[in-house]
Amino acid sequence: MSSVYASWTGERPAVVLMCPVRNVSGVLKREILLGLEEEGVPVVVREGNGDAEELGHRAARLSPLEVGIGLDSQGKAVIHHRKLRRHQPVFTVHLNLRPEVARIVGTNAARLVKVVPFKTI
């Protein structure tokens, strides 16, 4: 069994969205989830502590699809891939409470999995 799947307990492979338990905008989190759903890519939410880069890197390492999203309490979102170093995410954006941008983050994470071009912000 691959080490990627060793700790996976989900029913099917999914992108992992990791964010702190508190001080995260529910609206932004929901929009990220909707962006993934619109592209037809499953997602699971996990709790963690740290900045967006750390959370995204950890999420990508947990995901069997090797793609993770980190969302921190300051509104920064990061899309990360398992094969990249912690400080080299695929995509970084400060959401500044803009739900339309949060949805694009979810969409772009799904598109990374599907290997199709990103939407621009």
Side-chain angles (χ1 to χ4, degrees), residues 81-100:
H81 191 278
R82 184 176 196 272
K83 294 180 181 176
L84 297 176
R85 294 182 180 164
R86 180 181 181 266
H87 296 292
Q88 296 176 329
V90 175
F91 191 85
T92 302
V93 65
H94 293 277
L95 300 175
N96 299 326
L97 301 176
R98 295 182 304 176
E100 66 278 2

Side-chain angles (χ1 to χ4, degrees), residues 35-106:
L36 283 149
E37 182 183 329
E38 286 173 354
E39 293 286 326
V41 175
V43 61
V44 295
V45 179
R46 298 279 189 251
E47 297 172 349
N49 294 314
D51 64 9
E53 285 179 353
E54 182 180 340
L55 292 168
H57 188 252
R58 233 182 310 153
R61 296 183 65 76
L62 286 173
S63 170
L65 297 177
E66 301 184 336
V67 174
I69 303 170
L71 176 63
D72 66 20
S73 57
Q74 284 77 40
K76 182 178 179 184
V78 170
I79 298 173
H80 228 300
H81 191 278
R82 184 176 196 272
K83 294 180 181 176
L84 297 176
R85 294 182 180 164
R86 180 181 181 266
H87 296 292
Q88 296 176 329
V90 175
F91 191 85
T92 302
V93 65
H94 293 277
L95 300 175
N96 299 326
L97 301 176
R98 295 182 304 176
E100 66 278 2
V101 177
R103 189 173 292 218
I104 292 172
V105 168

